[in-house]
Amino acid sequence: DKEWGIPFVPAPSGLEVSAVLQNDLVRTAYGNETAWTVASRELAGMFCASINYLDDKHTVPPVRSLVGANINVTNNRMAAVYGQLPKEASCTENLTPWLKLSPCRAEEGLGRLLVPKLIYSSRHHTMRTHFQKVCYDKVSQSAGDTLKYGAWSNCSNPVAELVQTLTLVFDQNLNEGPFQFLQGEMKSTKPG
């Protein structure tokens, strides 16, 4: 946006989910279901959001745009899914489970500064949770050992990686509104 600049992490309005899952049917209490149906229901409960409404009408299989070079979905063992609910609004019931994923939750560190009144008084906000399985195998190179990041199909050391991103847009006046509160909290958290 010309007024706010380019976002650090692009995010559309509403709710967006992308996933690469095993292309298998899962036996559940409801019968045989796709891995996506099960995952969307679990994510809906975890984030207190309407993710379970991402059905066939709201999802597409984006083979080229979602899938990186490290994931092979052409062998029919994996399925890529992208879904969006543009009218899904974010509220405090979504912030609470999002904060619980951070190491100190809302008790210390950056989580302590994420007060709902501050976030929801901003001109714009996005919350993002990115979870993926990555490979951290050591690869010897002439410059020394480096970590091989990606290609987990033949990985001997798979690791779960969770990245949370919060983008807030405020007015520029730093002496009014939420910035007064933020500055006060930052001063009170300094060691004495």
Side-chain angles (χ1 to χ4, degrees):
D1 184 278
K2 291 179 183 178
E3 184 180 352
W4 295 339
I6 299 171
F8 295 109
V9 179
S13 63
L15 181 133
E16 175 188 54
V17 177
S18 59
V20 176
L21 304 166
Q22 290 184 346
N23 197 14
D24 296 331
L25 289 178
V26 179
R27 183 107 175 110
T28 68
Y30 303 105
N32 289 331
E33 298 181 293
T34 65
W36 169 248
T37 303
V38 174
S40 66
R41 190 171 47 243
E42 295 292 328
L43 288 170
M46 182 176 173
F47 287 106
C48 298
S50 301
I51 300 171
N52 56 319
Y53 288 114
L54 289 172
D55 56 10
D56 293 340
K57 297 175 192 172
H58 298 97
T59 57
V60 293
V63 177
R64 297 191 191 274
S65 62
L66 173 64
V67 181
N70 299 323
I71 302 169
N72 182 7
V73 296
T74 58
N75 62 9
N76 292 329
R77 290 181 37 221
M78 304 297 281
V81 180
Y82 173 83
Q84 186 178 16
L85 295 173
K87 294 182 180 179
E88 179 74 11
S90 171
C91 60
T92 55
E93 69 185 21
N94 307 118
L95 181 62
T96 302
W98 191 82
L99 279 172
K100 287 183 179 180
L101 292 173
S102 65
C104 297
R105 302 183 183 227
E107 305 300 321
E108 293 295 328
L110 187 59
R112 184 171 176 203
L113 300 176
L114 301 181
V115 178
K117 183 177 179 182
L118 174 70
I119 293 171
Y120 294 106
S121 66
S122 66
R123 290 182 67 191
H124 174 76
H125 73 277
T126 61
M127 295 185 299
R128 180 176 188 256
T129 303
H130 182 79
F131 179 80
Q132 67 179 351
K133 185 167 73 170
V134 296
C135 184
Y136 281 109
D137 286 347
K138 286 191 174 184
V139 178
S140 294
Q141 294 183 348
S142 59
D145 286 345
T146 60
L147 296 176
K148 183 175 81 174
Y149 182 81
W152 47 267
S153 57
N154 297 322
C155 183
S156 62
N157 188 22
V159 177
E161 177 182 77
L162 175 70
V163 178
Q164 290 179 275
T165 306
L166 176 68
T167 303
L168 300 170
V169 177
F170 292 104
D171 291 323
Q172 291 183 0
N173 190 348
L174 299 179
N175 295 319
E176 292 181 3
F179 282 104
Q180 277 184 319
F181 172 78
L182 184 60
Q183 290 170 355
E185 281 295 306
M186 291 174 83
K187 289 176 187 173
S188 70
T189 58
K190 290 182 181 175

